[in-house]
Amino acid sequence: MADNNAPFTPKLTGHDYTTPDLRAKLTGAARFAEDFRAEGMLVCKLLTSPMPHAKVTRLDTRAALASPGVRAILTADELPAPADTVTDTGAVIRANKWAEPALTMEPLYMGEPILAVAAETEEAAAAAIAAIDIALTPLPFVIDPLDSLRPGGPVARADGNVWLEPNQAPGGAAVGRLAWSEADFAAAGPSRLPLGQPSRQWAYGDLEAGFAKAALILDETCVTPNVSHQTLETRSTLAYWQNGKVFIHTGTQSTMQTVPAIARWLGIGTDKIVFISEYTGGGFGSKGTAGISLIIPALLAKKANAPVMLPVSRELEQSIGRARPSLIGRLRAGFAADGRLLALDMYALQDNGPYEENHDAVLAGRIVSLLYQPEAMRWRGLSVLTNTPTRMYQTGPGGVQGVMLMDPVLAKAARALQLDQVAIRRVNAPAGKALLGAPGPDGKRPHATSAFVREALDLGARAFDWEGRKAGPASPAPGKRRGLGVGLGCFVAGTIGFDGLCVITPEGRIRIHCGIGNLGTESFSDVQRVLADALDVPWEACEIIWGNTGKHLPWSCISGGSQTIHAMSRAALAASLDAKRKLAAIAARDLGGAPGDYVVAKGRVFRPDTGQGLDFGQAARRAVALGGAYDGHECPAEVHPLTKASVAALAGQGLVAVAKDTFPRDGQSFSYVASFAEVEVDTATGAYRIVDFHAAADAGFVVHPRAFGGQLVGRSMLGFGHALGQRWVYDKHYGLPLATRFHQTKPPTILDLPARFGWSSVGIPDPETPIGARGIGEPPTGAACAAVLNALADALGGASFRRAPVMADTVLAALYPQTPVSQDGLSANV
């Protein structure tokens, strides 16, 4: 085993550099999934449901199959049957009958695919779709979760309308039927979430005692929006079969993690899959392991015996591209006179979509408990099924919604208690190994590895000149109002236990094999700088192999949830330590002495006292001659089976270094952001803009400053979209979406970027990881959204918003109460 206590001295890590994909992107040489072509390639078109819930009662494809150029039609009955999955540890994951199918005869949302056609041209495929004889019988549907919970309300599926907790459903979590009483709705009134029966709950501390001694109690209800992922690259896929293997090109966040997902979806072995995803144009969580839609071209390619491309339009992406679920949250919060949060009673109702349970409501409770440290807390939650597109984790899942619900309550408490917005957050901020979430079976609550949120607040306040701005004028110009806001964000920032793999070639170069997805965050190369540092070689001596599982990549973490920098820098360090151990062992074997007599530096392994040693090329050639573990013919038992397969394929190519991250960790890794915003409101139109912004991060050691700053800017922009205008719009009578393109639910662009945008980092290394780094991708989104909402409320004299995004009519209603509002109320969609 490698010495996991060896020191790490950053030389390259922590500095800006030219990333290995930059030139390809600047010159246009970078190829995304839809850029690939194959000889004889067919084009796929989908027939999708025009209704939110229906049953296909007639489906005749004979005329379509007879159309010119049509080569194959795929229907739902040709999909592989759902199968149980056996993990590498031997655990069995049972097939989920509520999982989303690739094609279906009972579509559960408008736009869900029913069948697919492969033809020689796109026009021929479209003509075949038009020639299909189909009849659908409409079924009851639900667009808003509260409608389904009313007595006698409609249900999204025949088998139920909510996800039940495992102890409520024998055999594990399952879909069931639940309705709240008329008394529940009457007690809440029109503007508060009813507190009906939940499916999940937990608590700690003495809630009633906390409320009893509170100087201020607030009871607030707010709605966060359903938001599509809206990645610039849609989930187009090219698939073909050669020599019994399927080759698939599509966008993914996680190259190696997608392979077993494909195997499960297609019902084949991982050794039959070559997955290519060198460049991915955004994911935000929706492409964690690519999309289930890749099954369709893969199966059509096999049926037609030809390559098949499924080009996904923006409108189709809006249907099948997944979305962040809306939460309707009710929070009863008790504060001491100094702003300390003494008690919090939180209920989160989730718009789940029609399929497998999304856990954003659960995550929202955990993040709120960590970020605001209530002395006593109860969390209750319920996921309601609706006939709207499938939900999927999106940047900071649950954490963003939790912050959107809770942070404005903190701002309102600050105004009521006449406290500064920074001060009230500082008094409630987590510090050190802060506790979070529900107590475990032993009665103990889990804790974070570290938290330096107060330091981030102080750093950001200085950089933003918070105190100076507070003294400025509230009306900077006639017809304008100015407001200031602070927001906090937090999310999981690292996992452990993945594999690192590199080959020192006979030429003395370092070939680093990387199973991380490349979606623009540069994590796939940033983490490998650790390996170069540990081996003390120049970056120019390293080559990264990524994006094609046919090139033998190691088992890596999912590139989502801000895990990658933390998890894979640890794995890279583990591989480097294995390389150093093998280099020293080879040198001692050939030159005498013990391995501990040798050091690795500047491309050599040598004895410091005599200078006698080998260069990396010589050592690599000796590794090949020695064989066994030195050149990959033997592999550590503890690494993942897919890593073992890659090592076996690389055997004999040089010195093969492979190791699993076994570094210890005490606690769960989280990162934090404190954001500061200034907005300007036009009192005549209700329009507002962000004029200045600063994000101060606590994410440990910064491995790549330029990319770190880019993450803070980009993910803050995502938060701006949640505050400014991104949301779903539905015709509830017909159950149809009215916002299906960018211009109808506009994501923020460069034109929405504040004129002044600054960022900073506390930079204190995390004590529970040898690199000291934690991920930063998730926390900025909730912090930015909350800071903008709080600044807007400040500009309007402390207005309370019951939902986000806040549109111009809502601003005008706060200024002029007689103004009608288009998006008020508790419905999940406008």
Side-chain angles (χ1 to χ4, degrees):
M1 288 296 296
D3 177 11
N4 283 351
N5 295 312
F8 166 71
T9 304
K11 296 177 182 177
L12 301 170
T13 313
H15 299 281
D16 291 331
Y17 69 106
T18 300
T19 60
D21 62 345
L22 180 61
R23 184 176 298 278
K25 288 180 176 178
L26 289 176
T27 60
R31 291 196 297 172
F32 296 81
E34 207 165 325
D35 295 325
F36 286 88
R37 294 293 182 270
E39 186 177 352
M41 187 179 80
L42 307 177
V43 179
C44 173
K45 281 278 189 181
L46 303 181
L47 173 63
T48 62
S49 173
M51 303 177 187
H53 189 193
K55 188 77 173 177
V56 178
T57 54
R58 185 177 70 253
L59 184 62
D60 189 338
T61 62
R62 287 173 294 182
L65 276 169
S67 299
V70 174
R71 295 278 296 277
I73 292 179
L74 186 72
T75 56
D77 59 358
E78 297 175 87
L79 299 179
D84 295 343
T85 301
V86 181
T87 70
D88 57 289
T89 62
V92 178
I93 302 174
R94 298 298 177 189
N96 182 1
K97 70 175 182 178
W98 293 281
E100 179 185 18
L103 300 169
T104 181
M105 294 291 279
E106 185 183 339
L108 295 176
Y109 62 88
M110 186 273 202
E112 184 166 18
I114 295 171
L115 61 72
V117 173
E120 293 171 1
T121 65
E122 191 168 355
E123 293 77 12
I129 292 289
I132 289 170
D133 181 15
I134 185 171
L136 296 100
T137 299
L139 297 173
F141 63 86
V142 178
I143 299 302
D144 187 86
L146 279 175
D147 291 343
S148 186
L149 291 173
R150 294 184 181 277
V155 295
R157 301 176 59 120
D159 41 13
N161 68 328
V162 300
W163 273 97
L164 298 174
E165 195 175 48
N167 61 15
Q168 297 171 312
V175 169
R177 184 74 175 95
L178 179 65
W180 290 348
S181 69
E182 291 289 1
D184 291 329
F185 284 89
S191 61
R192 285 180 173 163
L193 175 67
L195 300 178
Q197 179 185 341
S199 65
R200 301 174 185 265
Q201 59 185 322
W202 52 261
Y204 67 84
D206 191 335
L207 201 66
E208 292 311 312
F211 284 122
K213 62 180 181 180
L216 172 70
I217 297 176
L218 298 176
D219 189 344
E220 302 290 323
T221 293
C222 186
V223 183
T224 73
N226 284 302
V227 182
S228 297
H229 283 79
Q230 296 188 320
T231 56
L232 289 181
E233 181 195 16
T234 62
R235 55 202 64 232
S236 299
T237 302
L238 169 65
Y240 53 93
W241 294 76
Q242 287 182 357
N243 301 322
K245 291 186 177 183
V246 63
F247 292 73
I248 296 178
H249 298 257
T250 196
T252 185
Q253 296 173 216
S254 318
T255 309
M256 281 303 284
Q257 289 268 353
T258 300
V259 172
I262 295 171
R264 184 172 62 252
W265 292 333
L266 292 178
I268 60 177
T270 55
D271 60 328
K272 304 299 183 185
I273 297 164
V274 178
F275 181 62
I276 302 99
S277 182
E278 296 170 338
Y279 299 90
T280 293
F284 309 127
S286 71
K287 299 176 186 174
T289 53
I292 197 171
S293 53
L294 65 76
I295 301 173
I296 297 168
L299 293 175
L300 268 174
K302 192 170 189 177
K303 187 173 184 178
N305 194 27
V308 172
M309 167 70 79
L310 169 62
V312 175
S313 67
R314 179 56 53 190
E315 191 166 12
L316 180 59
E317 178 75 12
Q318 185 80 9
S319 296
I320 68 172
R322 312 293 184 90
R324 182 195 299 281
S326 165
L327 294 189
I328 307 174
R330 182 170 175 180
L331 297 95
R332 184 168 178 252
F335 296 88
D338 66 353
R340 184 73 182 95
L341 182 56
L342 303 175
L344 178 64
D345 195 0
M346 179 178 182
Y347 201 122
L349 179 70
Q350 177 173 282
D351 183 353
N352 189 81
Y355 289 113
E356 58 262 47
E357 184 178 18
N358 191 281
H359 292 99
D360 280 42
V362 176
L363 290 167
R366 283 173 54 82
I367 295 301
V368 165
S369 74
L370 173 60
L371 194 54
Y372 305 100
Q373 292 290 292
E375 292 184 2
M377 180 174 174
R378 176 173 63 170
W379 173 88
R380 291 173 287 175
L382 181 62
S383 291
V384 182
L385 300 170
T386 59
N387 297 110
T388 56
T390 304
R391 303 305 195 274
M392 182 74 177
Y393 297 137
Q394 186 180 124
T395 300
V400 168
Q401 298 100 308
V403 166
M404 291 174 71
L405 296 172
M406 183 64 204
D407 214 86
V409 176
L410 214 67
K412 186 171 184 177
R415 290 189 292 269
L417 295 169
Q418 298 184 324
L419 298 172
D420 176 76
Q421 285 195 50
V422 175
I424 196 171
R425 286 167 178 79
R426 207 176 186 285
V427 78
N428 289 295
K433 293 188 179 298
L435 301 178
L436 67 138
D442 60 358
K444 296 180 180 179
R445 297 173 63 211
H447 60 269
T449 57
S450 66
F452 303 102
V453 180
R454 291 168 188 160
E455 290 82 354
L457 282 164
D458 294 344
L459 178 66
R462 289 193 301 271
F464 189 72
D465 187 22
W466 175 259
E467 293 298 330
R469 288 172 189 268
K470 283 200 305 180
S475 300
K480 307 289 185 184
R481 286 198 185 180
R482 164 186 167 276
L484 301 174
V486 185
L488 292 179
C490 167
F491 202 71
V492 175
T495 48
I496 59 176
F498 297 93
D499 300 338
L501 173 63
C502 73
V503 178
I504 302 178
T505 71
E507 296 75 33
R509 291 186 59 78
I510 314 298
R511 205 170 65 211
I512 305 170
H513 292 249
C514 172
I516 305 166
N518 177 19
L519 63 162
T521 64
E522 307 306 335
S523 294
F524 81 103
S525 61
D526 287 354
V527 299
Q528 313 303 350
R529 306 266 283 177
V530 170
L531 192 150
D533 269 339
L535 293 180
D536 194 26
V537 295
W539 188 237
E540 294 73 25
C542 301
E543 176 189 4
I544 300 178
I545 309 297
W546 87 90
N548 185 336
T549 65
K551 295 181 178 180
H552 319 303
L553 312 180
W555 183 245
S556 304
C557 76
I558 288 180
S559 298
S562 295
Q563 301 176 65
T564 317
I565 285 294
H566 178 279
M568 300 316 298
S569 62
R570 292 165 62 105
L573 183 58
S576 71
L577 297 179
D578 185 56
K580 291 168 78 171
R581 180 184 64 80
K582 288 173 178 173
L583 286 166
I586 290 172
R589 182 178 184 129
D590 284 9
L591 304 175
D597 297 335
Y598 290 83
V599 298
V600 175
K602 307 206 179 294
R604 298 183 70 235
V605 52
F606 61 93
R607 292 184 65 144
D609 54 346
T610 66
Q612 188 180 23
L614 304 170
D615 64 34
F616 278 8
Q618 291 172 319
R621 291 192 289 275
R622 286 294 293 138
V624 174
L626 291 169
Y630 292 109
D631 76 340
H633 277 95
E634 296 174 7
C635 188
E638 65 270 19
V639 301
H640 193 275
L642 289 180
T643 303
K644 291 178 180 176
S646 293
V647 170
L650 296 171
Q653 296 187 20
L655 189 154
V656 177
V658 56
K660 178 179 179 177
D661 159 29
T662 58
F663 300 106
R665 180 179 68 165
D666 176 29
Q668 300 173 12
S669 302
F670 291 85
S671 284
Y672 315 85
V673 168
S675 292
F676 298 77
E678 179 179 350
V679 302
E680 184 180 270
V681 179
D682 186 320
T683 59
T685 64
Y688 63 95
R689 65 188 182 97
I690 308 163
V691 297
D692 205 347
F693 191 85
H694 188 91
D698 166 28
F701 173 68
V702 177
V703 301
H704 183 187
R706 190 161 52 211
F708 190 92
Q711 287 282 285
L712 283 172
V713 174
R715 297 308 178 91
S716 294
M717 290 287 283
L718 191 62
F720 295 165
H722 286 48
L724 296 171
Q726 284 185 267
R727 76 277 186 257
W728 280 359
V729 181
Y730 262 83
D731 180 324
K732 290 182 67 174
H733 180 74
Y734 294 105
L736 305 182
L738 303 178
T740 59
R741 297 180 182 273
F742 273 174
H743 73 274
Q744 296 159 332
T745 174
K746 188 180 83 70
T749 71
I750 194 68
L751 298 178
D752 298 298
L753 185 70
R756 295 181 296 274
F757 192 122
W759 70 269
S760 54
S761 173
V762 173
I764 302 174
D766 189 284
E768 296 295 341
T769 186
I771 312 304
R774 296 189 248 105
I776 191 53
E778 322 292 305
T781 303
C785 182
V788 171
L789 293 176
N790 292 334
L792 188 57
D794 182 57
L796 301 177
S800 293
F801 302 113
R802 293 211 302 271
R803 68 182 308 132
V806 177
M807 312 298 283
D809 58 344
T810 309
V811 174
L812 290 173
L815 292 167
Y816 313 106
Q818 70 276 15
T819 305
V821 177
S822 65
Q823 56 171 356
D824 205 1
L826 299 182
S827 60
N829 304 294
V830 177

